[in-house]
């Protein structure tokens, strides 16, 4: 996702500290909207593991908030980037793929 890519770019340029706070603020807002949209879609598509997926979202949201605070406090943009790559992209690449066949059916009807 583009926020993570630009964050990566700024860290490589040695300007990670500058963009750490605004990046994480953007990401927290984006995460909330993304999860809400996704949960709505999964419900409409009749995804059977909706509750399990919602629980994953809650955990990921909490981790995002915790890591945001910690990395800002420690002024450690690399910590935030590592988390985003491992957890955020991991969730999208593994968990979100599970509901896509259901949503595909929904958009066909
Ligand atoms: Fe998800």
């Amino acid at each position: 996702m583009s926020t993570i890519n630009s964050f990566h770019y700024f860290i490589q340029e040695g300007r990670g500290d500058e963009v750490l706070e605004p990046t994480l603020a953007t990401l927290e807002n984006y995460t909330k909207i993304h999860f809400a949209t996704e949960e709505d879609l999964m419900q409409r598509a009749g995804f059977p593991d909706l509750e399990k997926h919602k629980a994953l979202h809650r955990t990921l949201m909490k981790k995002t908030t915790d890591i945001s605070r910690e990395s800002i406090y420690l002024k450690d943009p690399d910590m935030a980037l590592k988390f985003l790559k491992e957890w955020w992209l991991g969730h999208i690449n593994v968990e979100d793929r599970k509901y896509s066949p259901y949503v595909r059916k929904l958009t066909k009807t």
Side-chain angles (χ1 to χ4, degrees):
M1 139 204 185
S2 62
T3 308
I4 298 178
N5 288 338
S6 61
F7 189 38
H8 194 181
Y9 167 80
F10 275 104
I11 288 176
Q12 280 181 328
E13 294 291 303
R15 296 171 65 193
D17 284 354
E18 264 174 67
V19 296
L20 180 61
E21 278 197 58
T23 298
L24 292 172
T26 302
L27 192 88
E28 275 187 60
N29 286 327
Y30 176 84
T31 304
K32 276 181 210 156
I33 295 166
H34 174 81
F35 285 176
T37 310
E38 214 180 67
E39 288 170 12
D40 190 58
L41 205 59
M42 283 189 283
Q43 188 163 22
R44 283 172 39 217
F47 179 56
D49 281 333
L50 175 64
E51 289 309 317
K52 208 170 128 197
H53 200 106
K54 276 184 171 176
L56 290 174
H57 281 175
R58 279 194 293 273
T59 306
L60 192 53
M61 192 71 235
K62 190 177 180 321
K63 274 192 201 298
T64 304
T65 312
D66 290 349
I67 299 283
S68 287
R69 289 210 188 107
E70 205 178 342
S71 60
I72 288 168
Y73 178 73
L74 297 171
K75 294 187 175 23
D76 188 349
D78 288 308
M79 173 200 250
L81 183 66
K82 188 171 178 278
F83 163 75
L84 292 177
K85 282 186 168 171
E86 281 174 13
W87 286 88
W88 234 96
L89 298 180
H91 178 83
I92 292 169
N93 289 332
V94 179
E95 297 302 330
D96 288 349
R97 288 206 176 158
K98 293 179 184 168
Y99 73 78
S100 59
Y102 293 88
V103 173
R104 239 176 269 138
K105 268 188 229 157
L106 182 75
T107 50
K108 273 183 196 160
T109 51

